[in-house]
PDB file of all heavy atoms in Angstrom:
ATOM      1  N   ARG A  44    -119.841  84.361 157.163  1.00  0.00           N
ATOM      2  CA  ARG A  44    -120.770  85.181 156.368  1.00  0.00           C
ATOM      3  C   ARG A  44    -122.224  84.918 156.761  1.00  0.00           C
ATOM      4  O   ARG A  44    -123.079  85.781 156.585  1.00  0.00           O
ATOM      5  CB  ARG A  44    -120.560  84.904 154.876  1.00  0.00           C
ATOM      6  CG  ARG A  44    -119.241  85.431 154.325  1.00  0.00           C
ATOM      7  CD  ARG A  44    -118.961  84.887 152.931  1.00  0.00           C
ATOM      8  NE  ARG A  44    -120.117  85.064 152.057  1.00  0.00           N
ATOM      9  CZ  ARG A  44    -120.274  84.431 150.903  1.00  0.00           C
ATOM     10  NH1 ARG A  44    -119.381  83.540 150.489  1.00  0.00           N
ATOM     11  NH2 ARG A  44    -121.354  84.653 150.157  1.00  0.00           N
ATOM     12  N   LEU A  45    -122.504  83.726 157.246  1.00  0.00           N
ATOM     13  CA  LEU A  45    -123.873  83.354 157.616  1.00  0.00           C
ATOM     14  C   LEU A  45    -124.057  83.364 159.132  1.00  0.00           C
ATOM     15  O   LEU A  45    -124.927  82.667 159.665  1.00  0.00           O
ATOM     16  CB  LEU A  45    -124.217  81.974 157.053  1.00  0.00           C
ATOM     17  CG  LEU A  45    -124.017  81.793 155.540  1.00  0.00           C
ATOM     18  CD1 LEU A  45    -124.462  80.402 155.111  1.00  0.00           C
ATOM     19  CD2 LEU A  45    -124.766  82.854 154.749  1.00  0.00           C
ATOM     20  N   SER A  47    -125.426  85.447 161.042  1.00  0.00           N
ATOM     21  CA  SER A  47    -126.747  85.916 161.476  1.00  0.00           C
ATOM     22  C   SER A  47    -127.823  84.845 161.306  1.00  0.00           C
ATOM     23  O   SER A  47    -128.934  84.995 161.826  1.00  0.00           O
ATOM     24  CB  SER A  47    -127.138  87.171 160.693  1.00  0.00           C
ATOM     25  OG  SER A  47    -127.225  86.900 159.295  1.00  0.00           O
ATOM     26  N   TRP A  48    -127.506  83.759 160.623  1.00  0.00           N
ATOM     27  CA  TRP A  48    -128.467  82.685 160.402  1.00  0.00           C
ATOM     28  C   TRP A  48    -128.464  81.758 161.625  1.00  0.00           C
ATOM     29  O   TRP A  48    -127.714  80.788 161.681  1.00  0.00           O
ATOM     30  CB  TRP A  48    -128.085  81.874 159.166  1.00  0.00           C
ATOM     31  CG  TRP A  48    -128.203  82.574 157.853  1.00  0.00           C
ATOM     32  CD1 TRP A  48    -128.072  83.896 157.587  1.00  0.00           C
ATOM     33  CD2 TRP A  48    -128.461  81.940 156.596  1.00  0.00           C
ATOM     34  NE1 TRP A  48    -128.216  84.148 156.250  1.00  0.00           N
ATOM     35  CE2 TRP A  48    -128.469  82.955 155.613  1.00  0.00           C
ATOM     36  CE3 TRP A  48    -128.675  80.619 156.190  1.00  0.00           C
ATOM     37  CZ2 TRP A  48    -128.683  82.691 154.263  1.00  0.00           C
ATOM     38  CZ3 TRP A  48    -128.884  80.354 154.841  1.00  0.00           C
ATOM     39  CH2 TRP A  48    -128.900  81.383 153.891  1.00  0.00           C
ATOM     40  N   CYS A  54    -135.973  85.105 159.849  1.00  0.00           N
ATOM     41  CA  CYS A  54    -134.957  84.898 158.824  1.00  0.00           C
ATOM     42  C   CYS A  54    -134.971  85.997 157.758  1.00  0.00           C
ATOM     43  O   CYS A  54    -134.022  86.124 156.980  1.00  0.00           O
ATOM     44  CB  CYS A  54    -135.090  83.521 158.183  1.00  0.00           C
ATOM     45  SG  CYS A  54    -136.566  83.257 157.191  1.00  0.00           S
ATOM     46  N   ASN A  56    -134.489  88.937 158.404  1.00  0.00           N
ATOM     47  CA  ASN A  56    -133.446  89.865 158.841  1.00  0.00           C
ATOM     48  C   ASN A  56    -132.052  89.275 158.708  1.00  0.00           C
ATOM     49  O   ASN A  56    -131.068  89.950 159.023  1.00  0.00           O
ATOM     50  CB  ASN A  56    -133.686  90.280 160.301  1.00  0.00           C
ATOM     51  CG  ASN A  56    -134.957  91.098 160.460  1.00  0.00           C
ATOM     52  OD1 ASN A  56    -135.349  91.821 159.554  1.00  0.00           O
ATOM     53  ND2 ASN A  56    -135.603  90.968 161.609  1.00  0.00           N
ATOM     54  N   TRP A  57    -131.931  88.042 158.253  1.00  0.00           N
ATOM     55  CA  TRP A  57    -130.633  87.414 158.087  1.00  0.00           C
ATOM     56  C   TRP A  57    -129.920  87.994 156.868  1.00  0.00           C
ATOM     57  O   TRP A  57    -130.563  88.401 155.878  1.00  0.00           O
ATOM     58  CB  TRP A  57    -130.781  85.905 157.910  1.00  0.00           C
ATOM     59  CG  TRP A  57    -131.292  85.202 159.131  1.00  0.00           C
ATOM     60  CD1 TRP A  57    -131.482  85.732 160.376  1.00  0.00           C
ATOM     61  CD2 TRP A  57    -131.693  83.829 159.206  1.00  0.00           C
ATOM     62  NE1 TRP A  57    -131.961  84.778 161.231  1.00  0.00           N
ATOM     63  CE2 TRP A  57    -132.098  83.597 160.545  1.00  0.00           C
ATOM     64  CE3 TRP A  57    -131.735  82.782 158.305  1.00  0.00           C
ATOM     65  CZ2 TRP A  57    -132.553  82.349 160.976  1.00  0.00           C
ATOM     66  CZ3 TRP A  57    -132.183  81.538 158.721  1.00  0.00           C
ATOM     67  CH2 TRP A  57    -132.574  81.326 160.048  1.00  0.00           C
ATOM     68  N   LYS A  58    -128.614  87.997 156.925  1.00  0.00           N
ATOM     69  CA  LYS A  58    -127.825  88.545 155.834  1.00  0.00           C
ATOM     70  C   LYS A  58    -128.049  87.749 154.546  1.00  0.00           C
ATOM     71  O   LYS A  58    -127.996  86.518 154.538  1.00  0.00           O
ATOM     72  CB  LYS A  58    -126.339  88.524 156.188  1.00  0.00           C
ATOM     73  CG  LYS A  58    -125.467  89.241 155.174  1.00  0.00           C
ATOM     74  CD  LYS A  58    -124.025  89.339 155.645  1.00  0.00           C
ATOM     75  CE  LYS A  58    -123.172  90.099 154.646  1.00  0.00           C
ATOM     76  NZ  LYS A  58    -121.759  90.215 155.108  1.00  0.00           N
ATOM     77  N   GLY A  59    -128.308  88.470 153.471  1.00  0.00           N
ATOM     78  CA  GLY A  59    -128.499  87.845 152.170  1.00  0.00           C
ATOM     79  C   GLY A  59    -129.902  87.374 151.885  1.00  0.00           C
ATOM     80  O   GLY A  59    -130.153  86.806 150.819  1.00  0.00           O
ATOM     81  N   ILE A  60    -130.832  87.602 152.824  1.00  0.00           N
ATOM     82  CA  ILE A  60    -132.211  87.122 152.664  1.00  0.00           C
ATOM     83  C   ILE A  60    -133.132  88.300 152.411  1.00  0.00           C
ATOM     84  O   ILE A  60    -133.043  89.343 153.058  1.00  0.00           O
ATOM     85  CB  ILE A  60    -132.694  86.373 153.916  1.00  0.00           C
ATOM     86  CG1 ILE A  60    -131.764  85.204 154.239  1.00  0.00           C
ATOM     87  CG2 ILE A  60    -134.136  85.873 153.729  1.00  0.00           C
ATOM     88  CD1 ILE A  60    -131.720  84.150 153.173  1.00  0.00           C
ATOM     89  N   LEU A  74    -132.378  85.363 147.719  1.00  0.00           N
ATOM     90  CA  LEU A  74    -131.258  84.718 148.392  1.00  0.00           C
ATOM     91  C   LEU A  74    -129.988  85.136 147.662  1.00  0.00           C
ATOM     92  O   LEU A  74    -129.711  84.687 146.543  1.00  0.00           O
ATOM     93  CB  LEU A  74    -131.433  83.197 148.353  1.00  0.00           C
ATOM     94  CG  LEU A  74    -130.374  82.337 149.062  1.00  0.00           C
ATOM     95  CD1 LEU A  74    -130.253  82.730 150.526  1.00  0.00           C
ATOM     96  CD2 LEU A  74    -130.711  80.858 148.920  1.00  0.00           C
ATOM     97  N   ASN A  75    -129.236  86.049 148.274  1.00  0.00           N
ATOM     98  CA  ASN A  75    -128.026  86.580 147.662  1.00  0.00           C
ATOM     99  C   ASN A  75    -126.815  86.171 148.504  1.00  0.00           C
ATOM    100  O   ASN A  75    -126.498  86.795 149.507  1.00  0.00           O
ATOM    101  CB  ASN A  75    -128.092  88.105 147.550  1.00  0.00           C
ATOM    102  CG  ASN A  75    -126.883  88.680 146.827  1.00  0.00           C
ATOM    103  OD1 ASN A  75    -125.966  87.957 146.442  1.00  0.00           O
ATOM    104  ND2 ASN A  75    -126.875  89.984 146.641  1.00  0.00           N
ATOM    105  N   LEU A  76    -126.130  85.107 148.062  1.00  0.00           N
ATOM    106  CA  LEU A  76    -124.957  84.603 148.768  1.00  0.00           C
ATOM    107  C   LEU A  76    -123.701  84.729 147.907  1.00  0.00           C
ATOM    108  O   LEU A  76    -122.742  83.971 148.053  1.00  0.00           O
ATOM    109  CB  LEU A  76    -125.170  83.145 149.178  1.00  0.00           C
ATOM    110  CG  LEU A  76    -126.336  82.905 150.144  1.00  0.00           C
ATOM    111  CD1 LEU A  76    -126.430  81.434 150.506  1.00  0.00           C
ATOM    112  CD2 LEU A  76    -126.191  83.759 151.398  1.00  0.00           C
ATOM    113  N   PRO A  79    -118.293  87.905 148.277  1.00  0.00           N
ATOM    114  CA  PRO A  79    -117.892  89.303 148.114  1.00  0.00           C
ATOM    115  C   PRO A  79    -116.414  89.483 147.784  1.00  0.00           C
ATOM    116  O   PRO A  79    -116.011  90.543 147.311  1.00  0.00           O
ATOM    117  CB  PRO A  79    -118.210  89.919 149.483  1.00  0.00           C
ATOM    118  CG  PRO A  79    -118.077  88.783 150.445  1.00  0.00           C
ATOM    119  CD  PRO A  79    -118.546  87.568 149.698  1.00  0.00           C
ATOM    120  N   TRP A 100    -113.200  83.297 151.634  1.00  0.00           N
ATOM    121  CA  TRP A 100    -114.550  83.877 151.690  1.00  0.00           C
ATOM    122  C   TRP A 100    -115.595  83.020 150.974  1.00  0.00           C
ATOM    123  O   TRP A 100    -116.781  83.324 150.998  1.00  0.00           O
ATOM    124  CB  TRP A 100    -114.538  85.279 151.103  1.00  0.00           C
ATOM    125  CG  TRP A 100    -113.891  86.279 152.008  1.00  0.00           C
ATOM    126  CD1 TRP A 100    -112.553  86.550 152.117  1.00  0.00           C
ATOM    127  CD2 TRP A 100    -114.545  87.112 152.966  1.00  0.00           C
ATOM    128  NE1 TRP A 100    -112.338  87.504 153.078  1.00  0.00           N
ATOM    129  CE2 TRP A 100    -113.540  87.867 153.619  1.00  0.00           C
ATOM    130  CE3 TRP A 100    -115.868  87.300 153.342  1.00  0.00           C
ATOM    131  CZ2 TRP A 100    -113.825  88.789 154.608  1.00  0.00           C
ATOM    132  CZ3 TRP A 100    -116.156  88.222 154.327  1.00  0.00           C
ATOM    133  CH2 TRP A 100    -115.143  88.954 154.955  1.00  0.00           C
TER     134      TRP A 100
END
Side-chain angles (χ1 to χ4, degrees):
R44 290 168 50 196
L45 306 183
S47 61
W48 292 29
C54 67
N56 294 329
W57 293 352
K58 187 173 182 179
I60 303 297
L74 182 57
N75 184 358
L76 298 181
W100 286 84

